[in-house]
């Protein structure tokens, strides 16, 4: 088993996910198997050289920083479940 | 009109010669979908009204003598490609009711040709899977054997083409998601070079690997669609400014003198005997046509699965962090902002998507980043180097598309490791950003299609298509009996 409960809880925090007790046991087993598979990469003994990639986006290829028209607010808000002319969320400050 | 495995170019002739109208053609496909798709579940959404509207518009172009190669041609589109006003679910409860306010660039390009949208094809949830069984809405079945998977993640697109529920479709490929379902369903699918097609409007899984491409009945039809959808897009800085050639140009040219490399690691004992035999027979056929076969080696393949999953999941964890249930997508419940986000994601995402988010965050988290993510990037560089060395001495590479033919539904349930390792033949092509096509090269004793992949140099789709087309000219595909 490559991962313990504490690691899974930490990953759930980072991922904004949660599991009940039974789900936690199950995912711990599955992630253990997956991480065992990923561990095979540790046998590979070359280091990453970030100067060799050569596939970065060139500055000259980017768009001009010019304001353009965007979508109509009502069209975008149509996809939110709870709106009142703006996105409605629970209280952020308790 | 018999639509069984109808080619786009034959439909083009029929439309231009007024043997059938665009509305009639569209109606024929819609009828087939209504009758046959209950058995296959290849579509999530059938856009009947829009299809007939598109067809009327296309007919006007045809009548004015201004038709383009795809004018009036009905197509299916994978449900992770945004179409203005058409539900785009990514086969996830998270986007069950999401209606994009804009078109993906590839859709804008198809619209400019006057194509007809038949509907949105099913897929693995957020394109994460190789079976289309992680779809929240339509777990597609293989048209050759409905007890088997169609492959994935573009399984709906491949099954629809195989069953003649569309003459062609768009899919997307992050680690084999066009080529593997094309192989399982006995059709042809090409993943273009990274940067050939714009990703604008493709719901992101792994941005450095994702690419949109066609699935069709043969390489020629794939080339026709590529001609329509490729090219630089100012909305996607990773789309290339490399000139777009006519992808049909080299079709029909002999492969005499073409150097085809067979990397020995792709023909190991991990590959099913039937698959190996069919692909090697196809290689012999190409040799008979004058191609030169050479053996080569790709030692990095040994580490390809962890390298791919670490990079893909790291990017997925980041890309999918946008799904919080606030601005769009499934909204859960919670007394606080934090609780609302967690509940939305818990209930909106399926199990495989959650596992990949967890793995991605593991690879990126403090203490693990160097050992996993950076190591995977080192592997990426090594795989690119190995491909470059092979291409110094050859024109294309020939491999099996998948280690096995289509497997039984449920055979890989609850076994993510088995699911991941099945991607061994396809992932390096995405890691290296190369073009790769899968075409059918044989059938098993019980009639299941077997696919082979032709991999080419960056931006050399033309040679890849030429090689696949040369084989297709001497191979007789068998349509499924539904």
């Amino acid at each position: 088993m490559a991962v313990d409960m504490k690691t899974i809880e930490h990953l759930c925090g980072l991922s904004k996910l949660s599991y009940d007790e039974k789900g936690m046991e199950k995912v711990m087993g599955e992630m253990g198997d997956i991480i065992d598979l990923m561990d095979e990469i540790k046998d590979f003994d070359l280091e990453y050289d970030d100067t060799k990639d050569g596939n970065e986006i060139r500055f000259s290829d980017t768009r001009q920083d010019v304001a353009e028209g965007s979508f109509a607010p009502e069209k975008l808000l149509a996809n939110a479940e709870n709106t009142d002319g703006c996105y409605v969320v629970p209280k952020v400050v308790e | 009109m018999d639509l069984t495995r109808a080619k786009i170019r034959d439909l083009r002739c029929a439309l231009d010669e007024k043997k059938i109208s665009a509305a009639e053609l569209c109606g024929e496909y819609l009828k087939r979908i209504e009758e046959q798709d209950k058995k296959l579940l290849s579509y999530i959404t059938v856009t009947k009204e829009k299809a007939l509207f598109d067809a009327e518009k296309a007919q006007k172009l045809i009548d004015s003598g201004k038709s383009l190669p795809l004018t009036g041609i009905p197509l299916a589109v994978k449900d992770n490609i945004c179409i203005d006003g058409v539900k785009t679910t990514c086969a996830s409860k998270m986007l069950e009711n999401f209606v994009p306010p804009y078109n993906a660039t590839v859709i804008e390009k198809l619209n400019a040709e006057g194509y007809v949208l038949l509907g949105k094809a099913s897929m693995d949830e957020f394109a994460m899977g190789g079976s289309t069984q992680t779809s929240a809405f339509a777990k597609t079945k293989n048209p050759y054997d409905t007890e088997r998977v169609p492959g994935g993640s573009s399984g709906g697109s491949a099954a629809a083409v195989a069953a003649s529920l569309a003459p062609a479709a768009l899919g997307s490929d992050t680690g084999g998601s066009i080529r593997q379902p094309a192989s399982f369903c006995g059709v042809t699918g090409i993943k273009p070079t990274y940067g050939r097609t714009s990703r604008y409007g493709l719901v992101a899984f792994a941005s450095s690997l994702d690419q949109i491409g066609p699935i069709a009945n043969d390489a020629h039809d794939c080339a026709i669609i590529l001609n329509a959808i490729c090219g630089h897009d100012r909305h996607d800085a990773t789309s290339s400014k490399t000139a777009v050639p006519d992808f049909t140009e080299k079709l029909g040219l002999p492969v005499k003198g073409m150097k085809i490399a067979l990397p020995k690691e792709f023909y190991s004992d991990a590959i099913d005997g039937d698959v190996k035999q069919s692909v090697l027979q196809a290689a012999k056929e190409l040799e008979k046509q004058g191609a030169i076969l050479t053996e080569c080696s790709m030692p990095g393949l040994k580490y390809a699965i962890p390298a791919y999953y670490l990079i893909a999941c790291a990017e997925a964890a980041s890309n999918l962090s946008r799904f919080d249930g606030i601005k769009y997508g499934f909204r859960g419940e919670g007394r606080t902002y934090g609780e609302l986000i967690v509940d939305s994601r818990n209930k909106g995402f399926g199990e495989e998507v959650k596992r990949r988010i967890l793995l991605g965050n593991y690879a990126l988290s403090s203490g693990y980043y160097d050992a996993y993510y950076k190591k995977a990037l080192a592997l990426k560089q090594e795989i690119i180097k190995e491909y470059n060395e092979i291409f110094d001495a050859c024109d294309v590479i020939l491999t099996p598309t998948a280690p096995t033919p289509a497997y039984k539904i449920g055979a890989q349930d609850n076994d993510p490791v088995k699911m991941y390792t099945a991607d061994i033949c396809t992932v390096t092509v995405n890691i290296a950003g190369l073009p790769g096509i899968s075409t059918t090269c044989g059938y098993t004793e019980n009639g299941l299609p077997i696919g082979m992949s032709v991999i080419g140099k960056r931006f050399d789709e033309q040679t890849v298509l030429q090689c696949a087309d040369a084989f297709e000219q001497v191979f007789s595909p068998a349509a499924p009996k539904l």
Side-chain angles (χ1 to χ4, degrees):
Chain A
M1 183 72 67
V3 283
D4 54 23
M5 183 73 86
K6 207 176 145 199
T7 307
I8 296 290
E9 281 170 355
H10 175 59
L11 293 178
C12 283
L14 292 172
S15 306
K16 300 279 180 226
L17 292 169
S18 69
Y19 291 90
D20 60 19
E21 206 178 315
K22 208 173 143 199
M24 201 63 138
E25 286 292 332
K26 186 170 173 273
V27 79
M28 200 165 71
E30 290 166 346
M31 291 306 294
D33 292 343
I34 292 169
I35 290 165
D36 282 345
L37 176 67
M38 299 302 126
D39 277 344
E40 288 176 12
I41 208 169
K42 290 180 175 170
D43 296 340
F44 179 70
D45 66 357
L46 277 180
E47 291 299 315
Y48 173 58
D49 180 352
D50 64 2
T51 64
K52 275 190 185 165
D53 270 0
N55 58 359
E56 58 279 348
I57 298 160
R58 286 177 303 181
F59 187 71
S60 59
D61 286 347
T62 55
R63 289 199 306 273
Q64 291 298 308
D65 185 15
V66 177
E68 292 177 9
S70 186
F71 302 105
E74 56 275 17
K75 205 170 176 183
L76 296 180
L77 284 165
N79 275 303
E81 277 195 20
N82 191 354
T83 65
D84 186 14
C86 47
Y87 300 113
V88 179
V89 298
K91 282 181 184 171
V92 175
V93 180
E94 298 290 306
Chain B
M1 186 174 180
D2 181 15
L3 297 179
T4 312
R5 292 295 176 98
K7 309 277 195 313
I8 289 176
R9 47 205 190 275
D10 295 332
L11 299 176
R12 171 84 276 121
C13 286
L15 287 165
D16 288 345
E17 289 166 9
K18 306 284 168 71
K19 287 180 183 157
I20 192 166
S21 73
E24 283 165 350
L25 180 62
C26 166
E28 292 273 336
Y29 276 106
L30 289 171
K31 197 171 142 222
R32 284 184 70 93
I33 292 167
E34 207 176 309
E35 288 168 0
Q36 309 275 2
D37 205 39
K38 291 180 200 94
K39 285 179 261 178
L40 294 179
L41 307 176
S42 62
Y43 285 87
I44 289 177
T45 306
V46 178
T47 51
K48 191 176 174 182
E49 270 179 40
K50 177 172 164 49
L52 293 168
F53 178 77
D54 288 350
E56 291 299 333
K57 248 173 58 179
Q59 191 60 47
K60 284 181 189 149
L61 266 177
I62 295 166
D63 291 342
S64 66
K66 289 179 186 161
S67 66
L68 294 163
L70 295 177
T71 307
I73 302 294
L75 299 176
V77 173
K78 188 175 179 180
D79 209 17
N80 60 349
I81 298 172
C82 289
I83 301 182
D84 192 354
V86 176
K87 215 157 62 161
T88 296
T89 71
C90 275
S92 178
K93 195 177 170 193
M94 181 59 89
L95 290 177
E96 187 169 7
N97 297 309
F98 176 63
V99 179
Y102 71 108
N103 282 323
T105 297
V106 292
I107 298 300
E108 289 290 348
K109 286 175 177 278
L110 290 178
N111 279 340
E113 290 239 346
Y115 91 116
V116 173
L117 175 71
L118 287 171
K120 303 300 293 290
S122 192
M123 53 183 280
D124 281 296
E125 184 181 5
F126 282 103
M128 295 178 185
S131 65
T132 314
Q133 305 308 296
T134 70
S135 171
F137 308 119
K139 298 185 194 308
T140 310
K141 295 166 172 51
N142 192 308
Y144 285 86
D145 178 351
T146 51
E147 288 183 4
R148 291 177 187 266
V149 303
S153 65
S154 309
S157 298
V161 176
S164 306
L165 305 183
L170 287 189
S172 69
D173 192 315
T174 305
S177 285
I178 285 175
R179 292 158 288 152
Q180 184 255 29
S183 162
F184 280 14
C185 290
V187 290
T188 305
I190 184 167
K191 180 204 91 72
T193 307
Y194 184 77
R196 227 357 154 188
T197 56
S198 167
R199 292 180 297 107
Y200 181 71
L202 170 69
V203 180
F205 163 10
S207 307
S208 76
L209 305 165
D210 296 340
Q211 198 66 186
I212 294 171
I215 294 177
N217 280 306
D218 62 9
H220 195 142
D221 276 1
C222 283
I224 291 170
I225 296 180
L226 280 184
N227 275 347
I229 63 172
C230 291
H232 176 70
D233 174 20
R234 66 191 202 96
H235 292 300
D236 174 7
T238 65
S239 70
S240 173
K241 285 186 174 166
T242 304
V244 179
D246 176 357
F247 293 104
T248 64
E249 207 173 62
K250 286 172 87 173
L251 298 175
L253 293 181
V255 291
K256 193 170 184 317
M258 185 184 282
K259 289 181 190 144
I260 302 176
L262 285 75
K264 61 181 183 195
E265 290 81 1
F266 282 88
Y267 297 87
S268 71
D269 291 343
I271 308 298
D272 195 280
D274 276 357
V275 173
K276 222 185 307 187
Q277 197 191 350
S278 286
V279 179
L280 291 173
Q281 258 172 17
K284 287 278 170 210
E285 170 54 40
L286 289 164
E287 190 178 37
K288 215 168 86 187
Q289 293 184 28
I292 301 156
L293 305 184
T294 55
E295 198 182 89
C296 64
S297 177
M298 180 176 263
L301 187 69
K302 189 178 164 195
Y303 304 107
I305 291 295
Y308 168 77
Y309 274 92
L310 288 164
I311 294 170
C313 293
E315 293 181 21
S318 170
N319 277 326
L320 270 62
S321 63
R322 75 191 63 178
F323 296 105
D324 55 11
I326 306 288
K327 300 178 290 298
Y328 55 89
F330 177 83
R331 177 172 281 206
E333 291 168 347
R335 286 167 300 137
T336 66
Y337 184 67
E339 279 180 14
L340 172 67
I341 293 174
V342 171
D343 195 57
S344 300
R345 290 167 67 84
N346 274 348
K347 292 175 180 161
F349 290 139
E351 293 309 310
E352 181 55 25
V353 173
K354 288 181 195 171
R355 277 194 290 268
R356 295 198 191 197
I357 293 172
L358 291 174
L359 176 61
N361 279 322
Y362 181 74
L364 293 174
S365 59
S366 171
Y368 298 107
Y369 180 85
D370 284 351
Y372 291 102
Y373 184 66
K374 255 183 128 174
K375 192 68 106 173
L377 292 182
L379 234 312
K380 177 179 174 171
Q381 290 180 331
E382 176 63 17
I383 287 168
I384 291 171
K385 190 177 129 235
E386 288 179 13
Y387 267 120
N388 286 342
E389 283 166 4
I390 295 173
F391 280 124
D392 280 344
C394 79
D395 300 302
V396 293
I397 295 170
L398 185 71
T399 71
T401 304
T404 66
Y407 51 84
K408 286 262 170 95
I409 290 170
Q412 289 188 1
D413 284 2
N414 307 315
D415 194 345
V417 168
K418 206 169 170 185
M419 189 203 297
Y420 297 176
T421 50
D423 294 340
I424 187 67
C425 298
T426 47
V427 293
T428 54
V429 173
N430 300 76
I431 291 172
L434 303 173
I437 194 168
S438 178
T439 187
T440 312
C441 63
Y443 296 90
T444 63
E445 234 172 57
N446 50 356
L448 296 173
I450 294 169
M452 66 173 189
S453 280
V454 181
I455 303 160
K457 297 173 187 171
R458 274 170 67 79
F459 297 106
D460 192 13
E461 286 85 359
Q462 282 180 311
T463 307
V464 164
L465 289 158
Q466 179 196 355
C467 183
D469 175 66
F471 179 76
E472 287 173 354
Q473 295 308 314
V474 295
F475 182 77
S476 306
K481 293 177 186 73
L482 278 169

